[in-house]
Amino acid sequence: MPLSEHEQRLFEQIEQSLAEDPKFASAVRASDPRFHARRRLLVAASIVIAGLALVVYGTVSKTPLLGVAGFVVMLGAAAFAMKSHRKAQTPDLHVVGGTTSRRTRGRRLSLVDRLEERWRRRPEGHR
């Protein structure tokens, strides 16, 4: 249903007053999950670079333990980055006075889930 002219004017006034409020803008930015995910990705990228530096330094100084530690740091940072990226891609569900569920349309099923689904859909005569 479209807004009336009066409602549109009120909406524009509210929008303009909120845009001029720096506290509100910083509060909205701080609560934005994409902002946090972007920051976590940057931190993870810098840790991957530090891990790569440890691997190179361990190789040059002929200290294999330092190289292995650098590789473990890189691996952990990459896993953290992937987790943060996935978390940023999935929207948060907020329930207000009701129930809701996630749709599985965009979600990839694991091998076990696919096999179970095939087992449930098999013809009744083939047991």
Side-chain angles (χ1 to χ4, degrees):
M1 170 186 333
L3 298 174
S4 68
E5 287 183 33
H6 176 69
E7 291 171 332
Q8 285 179 352
R9 274 187 268 124
L10 285 175
F11 183 69
E12 287 172 3
Q13 288 175 357
I14 292 170
E15 190 176 50
Q16 187 177 29
S17 67
L18 290 176
E20 294 171 357
D21 187 9
K23 275 185 175 180
F24 178 75
S26 66
V28 168
R29 191 178 315 113
S31 67
D32 186 12
R34 292 176 297 179
F35 175 75
H36 293 295
R38 194 174 310 128
R39 187 179 68 206
R40 284 190 302 264
L41 285 174
L42 289 174
V43 167
S46 63
I47 293 173
V48 165
I49 291 170
L52 181 62
L54 275 175
V55 168
V56 170
Y57 183 73
T59 305
V60 169
S61 70
K62 296 182 180 167
T63 311
L65 191 58
L66 193 60
V68 170
F71 180 74
V72 169
V73 167
M74 283 176 42
L75 191 63
F80 179 70
M82 290 180 67
K83 180 181 172 185
S84 297
H85 181 67
R86 284 187 188 150
K87 194 172 184 179
Q89 298 299 319
T90 59
D92 291 336
L93 293 177
H94 299 287
V95 180
V96 179
T99 60
T100 184
S101 63
R102 288 187 187 268
R103 288 187 281 178
T104 59
R105 186 177 70 181
R107 196 175 120 223
R108 298 182 83 179
L109 297 175
S110 69
L111 176 66
V112 174
D113 292 337
R114 288 186 304 220
L115 289 173
E116 286 177 356
E117 185 65 28
R118 259 192 220 164
W119 181 257
R120 277 187 238 124
R121 288 185 185 177
R122 75 189 185 289
E124 288 298 319
H126 296 121
R127 289 196 181 205

